Amino acid sequence: MEAVTLDMGQLVLAFIAAMGIPSAVMGFVMWKLERRISKREAEAEEREKAQEKLFILIVQSSGAAIALGEATARAVQRIPDAHCNGDMHAALEYATDIKHKQKDFLMEQGIQALWD
């Protein structure tokens, strides 16, 4: 076997090359990992915004359904031949009560969110 001789400049250059290649590979791996993490965070944020919008639409549709039920019950009560029984009055009171509880709860949550 023949011995390899390196002068000091070549030795320093070899050392820098040996240290630079693994660092460059690790830098690339970390860059790809950071990109993947930031992409997942962006997707999660997008899903969270969509869920928030869905929740708002569900609350609005619930309010619309209650309003429609109240309007229908009041319209039926005004018909002279309808002969509404106590169930109609109880359902109307229940719907009104739930509507107010929902409104109070959402207002409380909004105020708590302002304080947080």
Side-chain angles (χ1 to χ4, degrees), residues 7-27:
D7 65 9
M8 191 56 152
Q10 291 173 332
L11 184 63
V12 169
L13 187 59
F15 179 75
I16 291 173
M19 293 304 290
I21 293 172
S23 296
V25 170
M26 281 305 297

Side-chain angles (χ1 to χ4, degrees), residues 22-79:
S23 296
V25 170
M26 281 305 297
F28 179 74
V29 168
M30 291 302 294
W31 175 73
K32 290 291 279 184
L33 185 62
E34 287 175 356
R35 278 188 56 204
R36 183 179 296 163
I37 289 170
S38 65
K39 182 179 176 183
R40 284 186 182 169
E41 286 175 350
E43 289 172 354
E45 187 175 314
E46 200 172 302
R47 279 192 305 273
E48 187 177 316
K49 286 181 182 179
Q51 287 176 341
E52 187 176 313
K53 188 173 182 177
L54 175 63
F55 180 72
I56 289 169
L57 290 172
I58 288 171
V59 169
Q60 288 174 339
S61 66
S62 173
I66 291 173
L68 179 62
E70 286 177 326
T72 303
R74 288 195 175 96
V76 169
Q77 286 176 343
R78 286 192 292 264
I79 299 172

